[in-house]
Amino acid sequence: MEEKIKAKVMDARKIKRAMERMSTEILERNRELKNLVIVGIRTRGIYLGKRIAQLIAQAEKVKIPVGVLDITLYRDDFLELEAQHMVQKTEIDFSIDNKDVLLVDDVLFTGRTIRAAMDSLFDLGRARTIQLLVLIDRGHRELPIRADYVGKFLPTSKRERVQVHLEEVDGVDEVLITEPTEIE
Amino acid sequence: MIFNHKHLLGINQLTPEEIMTILDTAESFLEVSRREIKKVPTLRGRTIVNLFFEPSTRTRSSFELAAKRLSADILNFNLLASSVVKGESLKDTILNLEAMNIDALIVRHSASGAPHFISSFCKSHVINAGDGTHEHPTQALLDAFTLRQEKKHFSGLKIVIVGDLLHSRVARSNIILLRKLGAKVVGCGPPSLVPPEFKSLGMEINYNLDEAVERADAIMMLRLQLERQKKNFFPSLREYITHFSLTPQRFKRAKKEAIIMHPGPINRCVELSADLADSVHSVILKQVENGVAVRMAILYLLLGGKDRDATD
Protein backbone atom coordinates (compact mmCIF):
# COMPACT_ATOMS: atom_id res chain seq x y z
CA MET A 1 0.00 0.00 0.00
CA GLU A 2 1.19 3.51 -0.85
CA GLU A 3 1.66 6.04 1.92
CA LYS A 4 0.83 9.69 1.42
CA ILE A 5 2.61 12.26 3.58
CA LYS A 6 0.01 14.47 5.25
CA ALA A 7 2.22 16.63 7.44
CA LYS A 8 5.71 17.04 8.78
CA VAL A 9 5.13 17.74 12.46
CA MET A 10 8.71 17.91 13.71
CA ASP A 11 12.04 18.70 12.11
CA ALA A 12 15.57 18.25 13.45
CA ARG A 13 15.43 21.49 15.46
CA LYS A 14 12.14 20.66 17.14
CA ILE A 15 13.28 17.13 17.96
CA LYS A 16 16.47 18.50 19.50
CA ARG A 17 14.50 21.01 21.62
CA ALA A 18 12.11 18.30 22.83
CA MET A 19 14.99 16.00 23.76
CA GLU A 20 16.73 18.79 25.67
CA ARG A 21 13.57 19.65 27.58
CA MET A 22 12.93 16.01 28.47
CA SER A 23 16.51 15.50 29.68
CA THR A 24 16.06 18.50 31.99
CA GLU A 25 12.82 16.99 33.32
CA ILE A 26 14.64 13.71 33.93
CA LEU A 27 17.34 15.54 35.91
CA GLU A 28 14.69 17.30 37.97
CA ARG A 29 12.95 14.08 38.86
CA ASN A 30 15.94 11.83 39.43
CA ARG A 31 18.11 13.18 42.19
CA GLU A 32 20.15 9.99 42.37
CA LEU A 33 21.49 10.00 38.84
CA LYS A 34 23.91 7.20 39.66
CA ASN A 35 20.93 4.90 40.04
CA LEU A 36 19.49 5.71 36.60
CA VAL A 37 19.82 3.34 33.64
CA ILE A 38 18.35 3.76 30.17
CA VAL A 39 16.74 0.96 28.16
CA GLY A 40 15.83 1.73 24.55
CA ILE A 41 13.19 -0.30 22.72
CA ARG A 42 14.29 -1.49 19.29
CA THR A 43 14.83 0.15 16.88
CA ARG A 44 14.48 3.89 17.28
CA GLY A 45 14.17 3.87 21.06
CA ILE A 46 17.83 2.83 21.19
CA TYR A 47 19.01 6.02 19.48
CA LEU A 48 16.67 8.29 21.41
CA GLY A 49 17.98 6.64 24.60
CA LYS A 50 21.58 7.22 23.56
CA ARG A 51 20.82 10.88 22.83
CA ILE A 52 19.30 11.35 26.28
CA ALA A 53 22.37 9.73 27.86
CA GLN A 54 24.57 12.11 25.89
CA LEU A 55 22.56 15.15 26.96
CA ILE A 56 22.76 14.08 30.60
CA ALA A 57 26.51 13.47 30.25
CA GLN A 58 26.98 17.00 28.89
CA ALA A 59 24.94 18.61 31.64
CA GLU A 60 26.01 16.59 34.67
CA LYS A 61 29.21 14.72 33.68
CA VAL A 62 27.57 11.41 34.60
CA LYS A 63 27.72 8.41 32.32
CA ILE A 64 24.36 6.64 32.21
CA PRO A 65 24.43 3.04 30.88
CA VAL A 66 22.19 2.39 27.86
CA GLY A 67 20.76 -1.06 27.05
CA VAL A 68 18.75 -2.41 24.14
CA LEU A 69 15.46 -4.27 24.48
CA ASP A 70 13.86 -6.42 21.78
CA ILE A 71 10.22 -7.12 22.67
CA THR A 72 9.33 -9.54 19.87
CA LEU A 73 9.22 -12.57 22.17
CA TYR A 74 6.81 -10.79 24.54
CA ARG A 75 4.26 -9.54 22.03
CA ASP A 76 0.65 -10.37 22.91
CA ASP A 77 -0.34 -10.69 19.25
CA PHE A 78 2.48 -13.11 18.52
CA LEU A 79 0.29 -16.05 17.50
CA GLU A 80 -1.91 -13.86 15.29
CA LEU A 81 0.88 -12.29 13.23
CA GLU A 82 0.79 -13.17 9.55
CA ALA A 83 4.54 -13.64 9.37
CA GLN A 84 7.13 -14.04 12.06
CA HIS A 85 8.97 -10.98 13.15
CA MET A 86 12.69 -11.41 13.07
CA VAL A 87 13.83 -11.66 16.70
CA GLN A 88 16.81 -9.54 17.53
CA LYS A 89 19.05 -9.49 20.53
CA THR A 90 18.28 -7.88 23.85
CA GLU A 91 21.57 -6.33 24.95
CA ILE A 92 21.48 -5.14 28.53
CA ASP A 93 24.92 -5.78 29.99
CA PHE A 94 24.14 -4.30 33.41
CA SER A 95 21.88 -5.42 36.22
CA ILE A 96 18.56 -3.57 36.51
CA ASP A 97 17.99 -4.77 40.09
CA ASN A 98 17.06 -1.81 42.29
CA LYS A 99 17.76 0.64 39.46
CA ASP A 100 15.57 3.44 38.17
CA VAL A 101 14.96 2.29 34.61
CA LEU A 102 14.11 4.87 31.97
CA LEU A 103 12.33 3.04 29.16
CA VAL A 104 12.57 4.88 25.83
CA ASP A 105 10.49 4.46 22.68
CA ASP A 106 9.70 6.64 19.68
CA VAL A 107 5.88 6.52 19.55
CA LEU A 108 3.35 5.67 22.27
CA PHE A 109 0.14 4.36 20.69
CA THR A 110 -1.94 1.44 22.04
CA GLY A 111 0.43 0.85 24.97
CA ARG A 112 0.91 -2.81 24.07
CA THR A 113 4.58 -2.44 23.21
CA ILE A 114 5.20 -0.87 26.60
CA ARG A 115 3.28 -3.69 28.31
CA ALA A 116 5.53 -6.20 26.51
CA ALA A 117 8.64 -4.19 27.38
CA MET A 118 7.69 -4.11 31.07
CA ASP A 119 7.04 -7.87 31.12
CA SER A 120 10.43 -8.36 29.55
CA LEU A 121 12.08 -6.09 32.14
CA PHE A 122 10.46 -8.06 34.98
CA ASP A 123 12.18 -11.19 33.64
CA LEU A 124 15.52 -9.41 33.66
CA GLY A 125 15.38 -8.20 37.26
CA ARG A 126 13.50 -6.13 39.81
CA ALA A 127 13.82 -2.48 38.95
CA ARG A 128 13.18 0.06 41.73
CA THR A 129 11.14 2.22 39.37
CA ILE A 130 10.34 2.22 35.67
CA GLN A 131 9.76 5.54 33.91
CA LEU A 132 8.71 5.98 30.32
CA LEU A 133 9.95 8.49 27.77
CA VAL A 134 8.47 8.78 24.28
CA LEU A 135 9.10 11.28 21.52
CA ILE A 136 5.46 11.20 20.33
CA ASP A 137 2.27 10.34 22.21
CA ARG A 138 -0.39 9.84 19.54
CA GLY A 139 -3.25 8.71 21.78
CA HIS A 140 -5.61 5.70 21.24
CA ARG A 141 -4.43 3.81 24.30
CA GLU A 142 -5.84 0.30 24.80
CA LEU A 143 -4.18 -0.24 28.18
CA PRO A 144 -3.84 1.91 31.31
CA ILE A 145 -0.35 3.17 30.47
CA ARG A 146 0.99 6.73 30.30
CA ALA A 147 4.41 8.26 29.66
CA ASP A 148 6.40 10.27 32.24
CA TYR A 149 8.18 12.34 29.60
CA VAL A 150 6.58 13.23 26.27
CA GLY A 151 8.30 15.06 23.40
CA LYS A 152 5.05 16.00 21.72
CA PHE A 153 1.37 15.14 22.10
CA LEU A 154 0.03 14.48 18.64
CA PRO A 155 -3.69 13.80 18.24
CA THR A 156 -4.17 11.47 15.28
CA SER A 157 -6.85 9.36 13.67
CA LYS A 158 -6.42 5.61 13.83
CA ARG A 159 -6.03 5.42 10.06
CA GLU A 160 -3.00 7.66 10.11
CA ARG A 161 0.53 6.50 10.76
CA VAL A 162 3.19 8.38 12.67
CA GLN A 163 6.68 7.87 11.29
CA VAL A 164 9.67 8.91 13.33
CA HIS A 165 12.85 9.15 11.27
CA LEU A 166 16.19 9.50 13.00
CA GLU A 167 19.56 10.46 11.62
CA GLU A 168 21.20 7.24 12.91
CA VAL A 169 18.78 4.93 11.05
CA ASP A 170 17.08 6.98 8.36
CA GLY A 171 19.66 9.69 7.66
CA VAL A 172 17.31 12.50 8.71
CA ASP A 173 15.60 13.74 11.88
CA GLU A 174 11.87 14.28 11.30
CA VAL A 175 8.40 13.17 12.38
CA LEU A 176 5.78 12.64 9.67
CA ILE A 177 2.08 11.86 9.65
CA THR A 178 1.23 9.63 6.72
CA GLU A 179 -1.94 7.96 5.51
CA PRO A 180 -2.40 4.96 3.27
CA THR A 181 -3.85 5.96 -0.09
CA GLU A 182 -6.66 3.81 -1.46
CA ILE A 183 -5.84 2.17 -4.74
CA GLU A 184 -8.90 1.98 -6.95
CA MET B 1 11.01 -12.62 6.50
CA ILE B 2 12.74 -15.39 4.65
CA PHE B 3 11.58 -18.53 6.41
CA ASN B 4 8.43 -20.13 5.20
CA HIS B 5 8.51 -23.82 5.99
CA LYS B 6 6.02 -25.94 7.83
CA HIS B 7 8.46 -28.73 8.65
CA LEU B 8 12.18 -29.10 9.17
CA LEU B 9 12.96 -32.43 7.56
CA GLY B 10 16.50 -31.90 6.34
CA ILE B 11 19.19 -29.37 5.49
CA ASN B 12 18.56 -30.26 1.87
CA GLN B 13 15.31 -28.24 1.87
CA LEU B 14 16.97 -25.03 3.15
CA THR B 15 18.53 -22.20 1.15
CA PRO B 16 21.74 -20.52 2.40
CA GLU B 17 19.61 -17.45 3.33
CA GLU B 18 17.24 -19.58 5.41
CA ILE B 19 20.19 -21.19 7.18
CA MET B 20 21.52 -17.72 8.03
CA THR B 21 18.06 -16.66 9.30
CA ILE B 22 18.07 -19.63 11.69
CA LEU B 23 21.60 -18.82 12.92
CA ASP B 24 20.79 -15.11 13.39
CA THR B 25 17.60 -15.97 15.29
CA ALA B 26 19.56 -18.38 17.50
CA GLU B 27 21.83 -15.51 18.59
CA SER B 28 18.87 -13.89 20.37
CA PHE B 29 17.94 -17.15 22.07
CA LEU B 30 21.48 -17.74 23.31
CA GLU B 31 21.06 -14.49 25.22
CA VAL B 32 17.76 -15.74 26.70
CA SER B 33 19.43 -19.00 27.80
CA ARG B 34 22.09 -17.07 29.68
CA ARG B 35 19.63 -14.98 31.71
CA GLU B 36 18.77 -15.72 35.28
CA ILE B 37 15.14 -16.19 34.21
CA LYS B 38 15.60 -18.38 31.17
CA LYS B 39 12.09 -18.18 29.85
CA VAL B 40 10.08 -16.06 27.42
CA PRO B 41 6.31 -16.32 26.90
CA THR B 42 6.46 -16.61 23.11
CA LEU B 43 4.97 -20.08 22.48
CA ARG B 44 2.59 -20.17 25.44
CA GLY B 45 -0.25 -22.58 24.78
CA ARG B 46 1.49 -24.59 22.07
CA THR B 47 1.95 -28.33 22.62
CA ILE B 48 5.02 -30.12 21.34
CA VAL B 49 5.66 -33.87 21.45
CA ASN B 50 9.14 -35.39 21.73
CA LEU B 51 8.72 -38.62 19.81
CA PHE B 52 11.98 -40.54 20.12
CA PHE B 53 12.02 -44.10 18.80
CA GLU B 54 15.78 -44.27 19.43
CA PRO B 55 17.76 -43.44 22.56
CA SER B 56 19.11 -39.91 22.94
CA THR B 57 20.32 -37.69 25.79
CA ARG B 58 21.47 -34.47 24.19
CA THR B 59 18.97 -33.98 21.41
CA ARG B 60 15.93 -34.94 23.46
CA SER B 61 16.81 -32.85 26.51
CA SER B 62 17.95 -30.01 24.30
CA PHE B 63 14.57 -29.91 22.53
CA GLU B 64 12.76 -30.25 25.83
CA LEU B 65 14.61 -27.27 27.33
CA ALA B 66 14.15 -25.27 24.13
CA ALA B 67 10.38 -25.81 24.24
CA LYS B 68 10.18 -25.02 27.95
CA ARG B 69 12.21 -21.83 27.61
CA LEU B 70 9.70 -20.68 25.00
CA SER B 71 6.81 -21.52 27.40
CA ALA B 72 5.44 -24.30 25.18
CA ASP B 73 4.16 -27.49 26.78
CA ILE B 74 6.18 -30.56 25.91
CA LEU B 75 5.18 -34.19 26.13
CA ASN B 76 7.96 -36.76 26.31
CA PHE B 77 6.77 -39.86 24.59
CA ASN B 78 8.13 -42.88 26.41
CA LEU B 79 8.54 -45.61 23.85
CA LEU B 80 8.92 -48.51 26.27
CA ALA B 81 5.75 -47.60 28.13
CA SER B 82 3.74 -46.96 24.96
CA SER B 83 1.42 -49.00 22.80
CA VAL B 84 4.18 -49.32 20.22
CA VAL B 85 5.33 -52.35 22.23
CA LYS B 86 1.82 -53.80 21.72
CA GLY B 87 2.34 -53.49 17.98
CA GLU B 88 0.63 -50.19 17.19
CA SER B 89 1.78 -48.89 13.82
CA LEU B 90 3.71 -45.64 13.41
CA LYS B 91 0.82 -44.06 11.54
CA ASP B 92 -1.74 -44.98 14.23
CA THR B 93 0.55 -43.72 16.98
CA ILE B 94 0.83 -40.35 15.24
CA LEU B 95 -2.90 -40.09 14.46
CA ASN B 96 -3.74 -40.75 18.10
CA LEU B 97 -1.30 -38.16 19.36
CA GLU B 98 -2.69 -35.69 16.83
CA ALA B 99 -6.20 -36.36 18.06
CA MET B 100 -5.05 -34.78 21.32
CA ASN B 101 -4.54 -31.48 19.45
CA ILE B 102 -0.80 -31.15 19.43
CA ASP B 103 1.07 -28.54 17.40
CA ALA B 104 4.43 -30.09 16.64
CA LEU B 105 6.20 -33.44 16.60
CA ILE B 106 9.91 -33.84 17.10
CA VAL B 107 10.77 -37.19 15.59
CA ARG B 108 13.76 -39.46 15.93
CA HIS B 109 13.49 -42.81 14.18
CA SER B 110 15.84 -45.56 13.06
CA ALA B 111 14.23 -45.64 9.60
CA SER B 112 15.55 -43.09 7.12
CA GLY B 113 12.63 -41.03 5.84
CA ALA B 114 10.33 -41.64 8.83
CA PRO B 115 9.77 -37.88 9.48
CA HIS B 116 9.02 -37.36 5.77
CA PHE B 117 6.48 -40.14 5.90
CA ILE B 118 4.87 -38.64 9.03
CA SER B 119 4.73 -35.17 7.46
CA SER B 120 2.88 -36.63 4.47
CA PHE B 121 -0.30 -37.24 6.47
CA CYS B 122 -0.20 -35.22 9.69
CA LYS B 123 -1.35 -31.67 10.33
CA SER B 124 1.31 -30.78 12.89
CA HIS B 125 4.75 -29.37 12.27
CA VAL B 126 7.33 -32.14 11.97
CA ILE B 127 10.94 -31.65 13.02
CA ASN B 128 13.50 -34.28 12.13
CA ALA B 129 15.67 -35.07 15.16
CA GLY B 130 17.61 -37.75 13.30
CA ASP B 131 16.28 -40.36 10.88
CA GLY B 132 18.28 -43.54 10.26
CA THR B 133 21.45 -42.77 8.34
CA HIS B 134 19.79 -39.91 6.46
CA GLU B 135 19.80 -36.48 8.14
CA HIS B 136 20.07 -34.77 11.52
CA PRO B 137 19.41 -31.15 10.54
CA THR B 138 19.38 -29.53 14.00
CA GLN B 139 22.81 -31.00 14.79
CA ALA B 140 24.25 -29.57 11.56
CA LEU B 141 22.68 -26.18 12.33
CA LEU B 142 24.13 -26.06 15.82
CA ASP B 143 27.51 -27.08 14.41
CA ALA B 144 27.26 -24.26 11.89
CA PHE B 145 26.28 -21.84 14.66
CA THR B 146 29.33 -22.91 16.70
CA LEU B 147 31.61 -22.63 13.66
CA ARG B 148 30.33 -19.13 12.93
CA GLN B 149 30.89 -18.13 16.56
CA GLU B 150 34.52 -19.26 16.35
CA LYS B 151 35.43 -18.42 12.74
CA LYS B 152 32.95 -15.62 11.87
CA HIS B 153 32.40 -16.91 8.31
CA PHE B 154 32.21 -20.12 6.26
CA SER B 155 33.55 -19.52 2.79
CA GLY B 156 37.00 -20.96 2.23
CA LEU B 157 37.15 -22.77 5.59
CA LYS B 158 38.61 -26.26 5.53
CA ILE B 159 36.52 -28.63 7.61
CA VAL B 160 37.61 -32.23 8.09
CA ILE B 161 35.05 -34.84 9.06
CA VAL B 162 36.59 -37.99 10.49
CA GLY B 163 35.15 -41.40 11.21
CA ASP B 164 32.12 -43.42 10.21
CA LEU B 165 30.57 -41.21 7.53
CA LEU B 166 28.64 -44.12 6.07
CA HIS B 167 26.28 -44.51 9.03
CA SER B 168 26.32 -40.88 10.12
CA ARG B 169 23.28 -38.67 9.61
CA VAL B 170 25.23 -35.92 11.38
CA ALA B 171 27.94 -36.10 8.71
CA ARG B 172 25.45 -36.07 5.85
CA SER B 173 23.59 -33.01 7.15
CA ASN B 174 26.86 -31.24 7.91
CA ILE B 175 28.35 -31.91 4.49
CA ILE B 176 25.23 -30.59 2.74
CA LEU B 177 25.10 -27.51 4.96
CA LEU B 178 28.81 -26.65 4.78
CA ARG B 179 28.83 -27.03 1.01
CA LYS B 180 25.81 -24.73 0.74
CA LEU B 181 27.69 -22.09 2.72
CA GLY B 182 30.86 -22.41 0.67
CA ALA B 183 33.20 -24.29 3.02
CA LYS B 184 35.59 -26.96 1.81
CA VAL B 185 34.83 -30.39 3.31
CA VAL B 186 37.30 -33.27 3.51
CA GLY B 187 36.14 -36.71 4.67
CA CYS B 188 38.50 -39.17 6.33
CA GLY B 189 38.13 -42.70 7.72
CA PRO B 190 38.51 -46.31 6.63
CA PRO B 191 37.37 -46.76 2.98
CA SER B 192 34.66 -49.16 4.15
CA LEU B 193 33.12 -46.30 6.20
CA VAL B 194 33.91 -43.45 3.76
CA PRO B 195 32.84 -44.79 0.38
CA PRO B 196 33.78 -42.80 -2.76
CA GLU B 197 30.07 -42.11 -3.39
CA PHE B 198 30.30 -39.33 -0.80
CA LYS B 199 32.14 -37.24 -3.40
CA SER B 200 28.78 -36.70 -5.07
CA LEU B 201 27.90 -34.42 -2.09
CA GLY B 202 30.69 -32.08 -3.22
CA MET B 203 33.37 -33.12 -0.75
CA GLU B 204 36.90 -34.43 -1.01
CA ILE B 205 38.09 -37.68 0.50
CA ASN B 206 41.52 -38.42 1.96
CA TYR B 207 42.10 -41.75 3.67
CA ASN B 208 45.20 -40.51 5.49
CA LEU B 209 44.32 -38.54 8.63
CA ASP B 210 47.74 -36.84 8.86
CA GLU B 211 47.27 -35.42 5.39
CA ALA B 212 43.59 -34.65 5.85
CA VAL B 213 44.04 -32.41 8.91
CA GLU B 214 46.82 -30.39 7.26
CA ARG B 215 45.93 -26.65 7.63
CA ALA B 216 42.36 -27.49 8.70
CA ASP B 217 40.19 -24.80 10.37
CA ALA B 218 37.96 -27.30 12.15
CA ILE B 219 37.97 -31.03 12.70
CA MET B 220 34.69 -32.79 13.34
CA MET B 221 35.11 -36.15 14.94
CA LEU B 222 32.17 -38.49 14.49
CA ARG B 223 31.22 -41.03 17.07
CA LEU B 224 32.32 -44.52 16.12
CA GLN B 225 28.96 -46.26 16.26
CA LEU B 226 30.22 -49.32 18.06
CA GLU B 227 26.75 -50.84 18.04
CA ARG B 228 26.81 -50.87 14.25
CA GLN B 229 30.28 -52.36 13.89
CA LYS B 230 29.34 -56.03 13.97
CA LYS B 231 29.68 -56.30 10.21
CA ASN B 232 33.49 -55.92 10.29
CA PHE B 233 33.92 -52.56 8.60
CA PHE B 234 37.50 -52.52 9.92
CA PRO B 235 39.75 -55.29 11.26
CA SER B 236 40.02 -54.20 14.92
CA LEU B 237 39.32 -51.28 17.18
CA ARG B 238 43.04 -50.97 17.91
CA GLU B 239 43.82 -50.66 14.21
CA TYR B 240 41.10 -48.05 13.82
CA ILE B 241 42.56 -46.02 16.69
CA THR B 242 46.06 -46.25 15.22
CA HIS B 243 44.91 -44.76 11.93
CA PHE B 244 41.96 -42.53 12.70
CA SER B 245 42.14 -41.31 16.29
CA LEU B 246 42.93 -37.61 16.65
CA THR B 247 46.07 -37.26 18.78
CA PRO B 248 47.80 -34.05 19.92
CA GLN B 249 50.58 -34.87 17.46
CA ARG B 250 48.22 -35.12 14.52
CA PHE B 251 46.31 -32.06 15.62
CA LYS B 252 49.50 -29.96 15.34
CA ARG B 253 49.23 -30.22 11.56
CA ALA B 254 45.99 -28.24 11.60
CA LYS B 255 45.95 -24.44 11.79
CA LYS B 256 47.06 -22.98 15.11
CA GLU B 257 43.58 -21.70 15.97
CA ALA B 258 41.78 -24.82 14.68
CA ILE B 259 38.84 -26.15 16.68
CA ILE B 260 37.74 -29.69 17.51
CA MET B 261 34.06 -30.59 17.31
CA HIS B 262 32.15 -33.73 18.23
CA PRO B 263 28.38 -34.30 18.18
CA GLY B 264 28.61 -36.59 21.23
CA PRO B 265 28.48 -38.96 22.90
CA ILE B 266 32.29 -39.27 22.86
CA ASN B 267 34.12 -42.56 23.08
CA ARG B 268 37.12 -41.15 24.90
CA CYS B 269 40.46 -42.39 23.56
CA VAL B 270 38.76 -43.83 20.47
CA GLU B 271 37.83 -40.84 18.27
CA LEU B 272 40.16 -38.45 20.04
CA SER B 273 42.55 -38.44 22.96
CA ALA B 274 41.16 -37.37 26.32
CA ASP B 275 43.56 -34.39 26.56
CA LEU B 276 42.28 -33.03 23.26
CA ALA B 277 38.66 -33.45 24.28
CA ASP B 278 39.33 -31.30 27.35
CA SER B 279 41.72 -28.84 25.65
CA VAL B 280 41.04 -25.20 24.80
CA HIS B 281 40.67 -26.22 21.15
CA SER B 282 37.65 -28.36 21.94
CA VAL B 283 34.27 -26.63 21.48
CA ILE B 284 32.30 -29.78 22.31
CA LEU B 285 30.45 -28.28 25.28
CA LYS B 286 29.81 -25.01 23.45
CA GLN B 287 28.08 -27.12 20.81
CA VAL B 288 25.81 -28.48 23.52
CA GLU B 289 24.98 -25.00 24.86
CA ASN B 290 24.34 -23.71 21.35
CA GLY B 291 22.09 -26.68 20.64
CA VAL B 292 19.38 -25.31 22.92
CA ALA B 293 19.53 -21.84 21.32
CA VAL B 294 19.40 -23.25 17.79
CA ARG B 295 16.43 -25.48 18.64
CA MET B 296 14.62 -22.55 20.23
CA ALA B 297 15.18 -20.64 16.98
CA ILE B 298 13.76 -23.51 14.94
CA LEU B 299 10.68 -23.92 17.15
CA TYR B 300 10.17 -20.15 17.03
CA LEU B 301 10.48 -19.95 13.25
CA LEU B 302 8.22 -22.94 12.60
CA LEU B 303 5.54 -22.42 15.25
CA GLY B 304 5.51 -18.65 15.58
CA GLY B 305 2.83 -16.58 13.89
CA LYS B 306 -0.43 -17.65 12.35
CA ASP B 307 -0.63 -20.81 10.31
CA ARG B 308 0.83 -19.65 7.06
CA ASP B 309 0.73 -21.03 3.57
CA ALA B 310 4.04 -22.79 3.79
CA THR B 311 6.02 -23.74 0.73
CA ASP B 312 6.13 -27.38 1.84
Side-chain angles (χ1 to χ4, degrees):
Chain A
M1 207 180 312
E2 292 283 304
E3 294 274 336
K4 182 181 76 186
I5 297 172
K6 287 180 75 180
K8 178 167 164 177
V9 288
M10 284 179 112
D11 57 12
R13 232 167 52 118
K14 282 187 180 155
I15 291 177
K16 186 163 173 273
R17 288 249 173 86
M19 296 298 283
E20 283 166 356
R21 172 179 50 76
M22 287 192 286
S23 66
T24 311
E25 288 171 14
I26 292 164
L27 293 177
E28 280 172 1
R29 253 186 69 174
N30 295 275
R31 298 263 171 77
E32 268 180 88
L33 269 187
K34 265 185 262 162
N35 207 45
L36 189 70
V37 297
I38 295 178
V39 172
I41 300 176
R42 273 191 196 278
T43 305
R44 290 177 182 72
I46 305 169
Y47 302 102
L48 292 172
K50 284 184 177 164
R51 289 186 193 187
I52 290 288
Q54 209 180 359
L55 288 166
I56 292 176
Q58 280 166 15
E60 298 291 318
K61 309 268 176 288
V62 183
K63 198 169 178 287
I64 309 284
V66 182
V68 174
L69 192 65
D70 185 277
I71 59 124
T72 313
L73 300 171
Y74 289 83
R75 291 178 69 118
D76 59 359
D77 55 353
F78 186 79
L79 298 180
E80 279 91 58
L81 295 177
E82 288 296 334
Q84 310 101 318
H85 269 239
M86 195 65 204
V87 206
Q88 286 177 293
K89 247 187 176 161
T90 288
E91 294 165 66
I92 299 177
D93 53 9
F94 45 84
S95 162
I96 65 162
D97 282 330
N98 270 316
K99 295 286 181 186
D100 298 309
V101 178
L102 178 69
L103 203 53
V104 180
D105 201 4
D106 53 355
V107 181
L108 179 57
F109 183 24
T110 60
R112 288 180 192 267
T113 300
I114 304 304
R115 194 282 310 164
M118 285 199 290
D119 272 0
S120 177
L121 283 181
F122 293 153
D123 282 354
L124 295 172
R126 187 185 185 279
R128 187 170 75 176
T129 62
I130 301 178
Q131 301 167 31
L132 175 62
L133 179 149
V134 295
L135 184 60
I136 302 290
D137 181 345
R138 62 169 293 192
H140 303 288
R141 213 79 74 240
E142 294 169 3
L143 298 172
I145 283 172
R146 64 161 184 80
D148 301 88
Y149 313 99
V150 178
K152 188 177 176 62
F153 287 98
L154 193 63
T156 53
S157 80
K158 269 200 162 174
R159 249 180 71 79
E160 292 167 334
R161 288 215 313 148
V162 175
Q163 297 194 21
V164 172
H165 293 151
L166 296 178
E167 181 83 47
E168 297 90 328
V169 203
D170 314 286
V172 59
D173 270 3
E174 61 182 10
V175 179
L176 305 175
I177 298 184
T178 63
E179 196 171 39
T181 53
E182 306 290 344
I183 296 164
E184 300 281 320
Chain B
M1 182 81 216
I2 41 169
F3 198 87
N4 203 22
H5 292 287
K6 177 155 191 210
H7 311 293
L8 178 69
L9 301 176
I11 297 297
N12 227 347
Q13 71 176 135
L14 301 176
T15 65
E17 292 73 32
E18 286 167 339
I19 293 168
M20 289 322 236
T21 300
I22 295 172
L23 302 189
D24 290 343
T25 307
E27 293 281 352
S28 317
F29 289 113
L30 191 60
E31 182 263 320
V32 173
S33 286
R34 287 176 177 172
R35 290 182 192 170
E36 205 169 325
I37 297 178
K38 305 167 187 61
K39 203 177 181 81
V40 289
T42 318
L43 294 183
R44 207 176 51 187
R46 300 265 160 150
T47 307
I48 300 172
V49 179
N50 250 341
L51 191 59
F52 279 61
F53 292 95
E54 269 190 339
S56 156
T57 323
R58 254 162 307 273
T59 309
R60 194 177 53 75
S61 27
S62 183
F63 266 116
E64 183 172 346
L65 284 176
K68 285 181 170 166
R69 287 182 185 170
L70 288 167
S71 301
D73 293 306
I74 185 146
L75 177 73
N76 276 305
F77 181 84
N78 184 347
L79 184 70
L80 289 176
S82 75
S83 291
V84 173
V85 290
K86 297 184 194 161
E88 187 173 53
S89 77
L90 177 59
K91 187 167 182 175
D92 283 325
T93 305
I94 306 290
L95 289 176
N96 278 279
L97 284 168
E98 277 218 299
M100 298 182 213
N101 297 308
I102 59 166
D103 299 292
L105 280 161
I106 296 161
V107 182
R108 162 157 306 179
H109 203 284
S110 57
S112 301
H116 301 69
F117 167 66
I118 292 169
S119 73
S120 70
F121 62 84
C122 86
K123 295 189 286 287
S124 316
H125 300 272
V126 178
I127 298 166
N128 183 356
D131 61 327
T133 58
H134 177 234
E135 275 225 47
H136 190 348
T138 59
Q139 178 70 41
L141 287 162
L142 75 89
D143 287 343
F145 185 83
T146 311
L147 262 174
R148 188 172 76 161
Q149 238 175 14
E150 302 291 324
K151 302 289 167 199
K152 312 293 173 226
H153 66 99
F154 295 95
S155 69
L157 288 184
K158 179 182 176 183
I159 318 288
V160 187
I161 305 182
V162 187
D164 179 359
L165 273 68
L166 181 64
H167 297 107
S168 175
R169 50 198 176 210
V170 175
R172 211 169 307 258
S173 286
N174 261 312
I175 296 163
I176 301 170
L177 187 150
L178 291 167
R179 292 299 300 142
K180 281 190 188 212
L181 298 181
K184 179 177 153 185
V185 184
V186 180
C188 180
S192 53
L193 294 175
V194 189
E197 287 78 21
F198 267 88
K199 285 184 183 161
S200 66
L201 293 173
M203 69 186 295
E204 292 171 25
I205 292 176
N206 192 329
Y207 293 117
N208 181 319
L209 185 56
D210 290 303
E211 286 172 27
V213 299
E214 200 74 58
R215 310 258 334 126
D217 293 282
I219 305 168
M220 284 184 186
M221 305 305 299
L222 299 173
R223 182 174 70 93
L224 190 61
Q225 307 194 17
L226 297 166
E227 69 272 21
R228 294 196 219 261
Q229 300 308 340
K230 289 173 192 127
K231 288 190 200 149
N232 298 322
F233 285 100
F234 48 83
S236 73
L237 189 58
R238 184 187 288 191
E239 186 172 328
Y240 180 89
I241 293 171
T242 312
H243 290 285
F244 300 108
S245 181
L246 189 65
T247 59
Q249 228 170 355
R250 283 189 169 127
F251 183 63
K252 278 190 196 130
R253 291 168 169 264
K255 283 195 185 151
K256 218 168 77 196
E257 62 288 3
I259 54 168
I260 301 168
M261 307 175 80
H262 194 300
I266 317 180
N267 298 305
R268 273 177 190 260
C269 305
V270 177
E271 295 106 31
L272 73 169
S273 73
D275 334 346
L276 278 182
D278 302 325
S279 74
V280 288
H281 298 283
S282 159
V283 294
I284 298 173
L285 292 177
K286 282 189 193 165
Q287 288 173 273
V288 178
E289 182 190 17
N290 293 339
V292 178
V294 166
R295 291 180 175 114
M296 285 172 83
I298 289 160
L299 292 175
Y300 169 80
L301 290 169
L302 290 178
L303 275 79
K306 219 182 205 170
D307 281 338
R308 285 152 280 135
D309 291 327
T311 48
D312 51 5

